[in-house]
Structures are given as C-alpha cells and as structure tokens.
Amino acid sequence: MNAYDKVMAARDSKRLTAVDYINKMFGSSFIEMHGDRRFGDDKAIVGGLAMLYDQPITVIGIEKGRNTKERMNRNFGSANPEGYRKALRLMKQAEKFHRPVFCLVDTSGAYPGIGAEERGQGLAIAENLMEMMTLKTPVLSIIIGEGGSGGALALAVADEVWMLEDSIYSVISPEGCASILWKDSSKAPEASNCLKLTSHDLFDLGVIERIIREPVDSDDRKMFEGLKMLVARTFEKNMAVDTDKLIDTRYARFRKFGKKD
C-alpha cells in the first residue's frame, strides 16, 4: 500500500470506530459521561470511565459513526469546542483521582463551522494542548483512523502516541495540501507522499512510539486482548514514575521536534 492507499483505508466506512474499540476492550465496564458544563454535549466525543482489568481509567474517543445516520449524529467525527471541553473536563477529573487517560483518535479535523468559531474552537483546542502537557496522570493516545490537524492533536498530547498500521496522522489533509501547493486537489496522492503521514513514516521520524497491527475483523479477540494488555502494561509503567518526571518527559517529547541540530 502506498501513502494514498493508507489515506483511503483510514477513511473506509467499514473501519472500526472508537466505540467499537471501547466495547471490545472494556465491554460493560464503560460508563459514558456527558456534557462540558458550559454549553452542551458533543456526540463526536465519547468519554467516560472504564475498568482496565483491575485499574479504573478514563477513556475518551472521537467517534465518526458507521452509517450515514450515525455519522450525521456524530458530526462525522468533527468535534465542536464543547466536545474538546468535555474531554478536558474528564481529563481533569482523571487527574484529581490519579486515573490514567486513554484516548482514541479518529477525525479529519475539528469542525470549522461558524457556530464552533463563535464558541471558541481555537481556544478550546489550545486549552487542551496546554492542560494535557502538564496533566498529572499518565496519558496514552492511539490514532485508530484519521488523525487530522489540531482536531486530532487536542487528544494526542500524551506520554506515548501509537498508531494502527493503516491509520494516518497529518497537519493537513492530502486534498488540502494539494490545493495549496498545486491549486489542484486531484494531486492528493502526490501530496500524501510528501506529507509523511503513514504510521511507518511517523515511527521512523520519532513522532509515534508504536505501530499496532490492524484487526482482521470486529471479532479479532486476539488483537483486542493483546492491545488491552499493552495499554495496561504501559499505564502500569507510567503510574510508577514520579509525577514531575512524567510531566517533564512528556514536555521533552514534544519539545524535541522544535530543536535545531
């Protein structure tokens, strides 16, 4: 598969969504929580509490939906500011009780509508970036489909970021990049190669720490159980780290990309 094949695979309507991963990994232990306590409840963001074996954790996912009706209800996975504020509310709650935070990211980007801008879309994303950088509890994020721009980064400031093998993570969509560089969105395949947006590209660049194999189907129990064990071991390791050191390491993880040789 070339880069653009990966883009199309990440956008496939048959691809498992955040809710699928939550159900397969946590089952009935997941308790969803709603609302940002300011404006409303954004259904593009699913968040709540779950049990990871015997460890209570906070789970937050960006949900696209599977069919047309679900996707419209979830705003196609493009969150409004109240969605990011709901996520931050749950993260701060997790910090209070020292619960690890597990994020599942799948979005083409934050919703760019007029209402979202009026309610502070840019500020909501910026607040998430700032607060997650110093969150006093372990954070792990997995890109399970599309990881688009600030809409994805708002849930991906973590101690470790993982990606499914056929997922993508980029500052801009290939079509958007092609429109800017060549004034021609049909050159998206060429733009995909330039953007280095595949899991293998980003692993080689040091942007992510792990590549997860794709589940064969929704009943791939071996894959989900293996992923659950990896997440549990990662949280166990990071829960044992001194809080100040955990935050310093997270900060250094992102600062290294801004340093010049």
Side-chain angles (χ1 to χ4, degrees):
M1 295 175 70
N2 59 37
Y4 196 62
D5 290 334
K6 298 272 187 178
V7 172
M8 300 311 293
R11 295 172 175 172
D12 192 339
S13 61
K14 296 179 182 178
R15 193 175 183 85
L16 298 183
T17 67
V19 167
D20 293 321
Y21 280 86
I22 291 170
N23 290 336
K24 296 296 180 182
M25 294 177 68
F26 308 111
S28 61
S29 75
F30 177 70
I31 301 172
E32 187 174 357
M33 304 181 78
H34 300 274
D36 67 340
R37 302 298 187 266
R38 297 189 192 183
F39 181 81
D41 184 44
D42 186 352
K43 294 182 180 180
I45 300 284
V46 177
L49 311 178
M51 293 298 296
L52 181 62
Y53 300 117
D54 58 351
Q55 170 69 55
I57 68 170
T58 291
V59 181
I60 303 168
I62 304 179
E63 172 64 22
K64 282 184 174 180
R66 297 295 295 276
N67 54 47
T68 302
K69 184 177 179 180
E70 285 182 9
R71 290 195 167 207
M72 290 181 68
N73 188 45
R74 301 287 187 180
N75 203 31
F76 298 85
S78 293
N80 281 279
E82 48 271 20
Y84 293 113
R85 290 178 180 131
K86 173 169 69 172
L88 182 57
R89 179 176 75 83
L90 294 178
M91 290 179 207
K92 297 301 286 186
Q93 182 191 76
E95 180 183 57
K96 178 179 180 180
F97 295 101
H98 201 50
R99 288 193 300 262
V101 177
F102 180 49
C103 297
L104 296 161
V105 179
D106 185 13
T107 180
S108 59
Y111 185 58
I114 293 175
E117 296 297 336
E118 289 175 341
R119 296 194 300 276
Q121 183 71 287
L123 176 61
I125 292 172
E127 285 180 337
N128 276 34
L129 303 183
M130 179 181 71
E131 294 289 350
M132 290 184 75
M133 193 66 75
T134 57
L135 201 69
K136 296 177 181 177
T137 196
V139 185
L140 171 63
S141 296
I142 302 181
I143 314 296
I144 60 171
E146 284 188 278
S149 192
L153 189 59
L155 291 184
V157 178
D159 305 306
E160 293 187 25
V161 178
W162 302 350
M163 290 178 68
L164 264 71
E165 190 172 11
D166 293 342
S167 61
I168 59 171
Y169 191 23
S170 175
V171 69
I172 191 171
S173 69
E175 292 81 6
C177 178
S179 295
I180 293 170
L181 293 182
W182 298 296
K183 312 298 181 185
D184 183 1
S185 62
S186 68
K187 291 186 178 292
E190 291 91 326
S192 298
N193 291 325
C194 297
L195 286 168
K196 303 296 182 185
L197 44 65
T198 70
S199 58
H200 293 283
D201 288 330
L202 294 166
F203 182 81
D204 291 341
L205 290 168
V207 175
I208 65 170
E209 281 73 26
R210 188 185 292 271
I211 298 173
I212 306 295
R213 79 169 179 86
E214 296 283 332
V216 175
D217 52 45
S218 60
D219 294 322
D220 192 348
R221 296 181 182 179
K222 185 175 180 181
M223 180 274 177
F224 287 110
E225 188 59 33
L227 179 58
K228 188 175 178 179
M229 290 180 65
L230 279 174
V231 172
R233 289 171 184 169
T234 300
F235 281 144
E236 182 180 11
K237 175 189 69 176
N238 289 336
M239 288 285 281
V241 177
D242 176 75
T243 301
D244 289 337
K245 184 177 180 181
L246 183 73
I247 294 171
D248 289 344
T249 303
R250 187 186 306 151
Y251 182 76
R253 179 187 183 278
F254 287 88
R255 284 296 296 169
K256 70 180 181 182
F257 298 111
K259 292 182 179 179
K260 296 181 179 180
D261 294 333

